[in-house]
Amino acid sequence: MKEEIKSKLEAAFEKHEQSKRSAADAKQVAENKSQTFLREFIAAREAIIRPAMEEVGEYVQGKGYAFEVSIEDDKPSLDGRSRSTPASIRLTIFPSERRYPVHENPGFSVICEKGEQKVRFHESTMSPSRGGHAGPAGQATLGALTKDLIQEKILKVVAEVFR
């Protein structure tokens, strides 16, 4: 093989290796950023979100209705192919005496979107034999999360469920 061709082949492979290293470095930076965001979400979940939800839940309980605050930890999918389960927290309100599964009752969730570096809100006014709606309720940065913001969003759900 001519030295000129060998040299060009070597340059092509060096460029390819550099691209692989750059991609690996970028992936590591993104992973570190995601893990940092997840840790910050968990801290906010315990310091801001849970107390705000529990305060509303206790008020609702004082009116004769049960509530539950549940958390979900970030975990990969079991099959490794589908989407992982993001960290989240949900306030569920039980408007009837009979306990239906949590997802069949009204509630409000705050979900960690570590890849996007945001939290997503989800609301549900669905109740057994009553109907309602379920869907996105906005998003925010971690820095924008306050007790008042969480409680205002929950108020919207409660007002619709008990109208």
Side-chain angles (χ1 to χ4, degrees):
M1 180 183 309
K2 289 169 84 176
E3 280 302 315
E4 180 183 349
I5 291 179
K6 191 175 182 181
S7 177
K8 288 180 180 180
L9 282 170
E10 192 59 39
F13 277 100
E14 179 55 40
K15 186 175 179 182
H16 175 69
E17 287 301 316
Q18 180 57 41
S19 292
K20 283 175 38 180
R21 282 191 299 273
S22 293
D25 290 348
K27 183 178 179 184
Q28 186 61 47
V29 167
E31 183 62 28
N32 289 344
K33 193 174 176 183
S34 290
Q35 290 306 313
T36 298
F37 187 81
L38 176 60
R39 282 192 301 276
E40 291 170 353
F41 172 79
I42 291 169
R45 181 173 71 185
E46 296 308 313
I48 299 167
I49 305 167
R50 182 192 295 266
M53 287 180 166
E54 287 176 343
E55 198 171 286
V56 172
E58 288 166 6
Y59 183 87
V60 168
Q61 189 173 38
K63 297 295 183 182
Y65 300 93
F67 79 97
E68 176 182 293
V69 175
S70 56
I71 62 168
E72 186 80 47
D73 289 323
D74 185 75
K75 57 186 167 231
S77 65
L78 295 175
D79 64 11
R81 293 178 289 171
S82 57
R83 186 165 187 224
S84 63
T85 301
S88 64
I89 184 167
R90 175 182 165 87
L91 169 66
T92 303
I93 299 167
F94 300 96
S96 70
E97 298 278 324
R98 184 169 171 220
R99 284 286 184 118
Y100 292 92
V102 169
H103 68 276
E104 291 184 21
N105 288 280
F108 178 77
S109 299
V110 181
I111 303 154
C112 177
E113 294 294 346
K114 63 186 181 183
E116 296 176 23
Q117 303 283 293
K118 293 188 182 250
V119 295
R120 183 170 44 90
F121 304 119
H122 186 272
E123 65 184 18
S124 174
T125 61
M126 302 291 284
S127 296
S129 71
R130 189 185 155 267
H133 77 275
Q139 62 183 16
T141 62
L142 275 179
L145 283 182
T146 63
K147 177 178 159 183
D148 291 341
L149 173 67
I150 300 300
Q151 290 181 341
E152 286 288 332
K153 290 192 169 286
I154 295 170
L155 169 62
K156 183 179 171 217
V157 172
V158 170
E160 191 166 327
V161 169
F162 293 103
R163 62 183 171 142

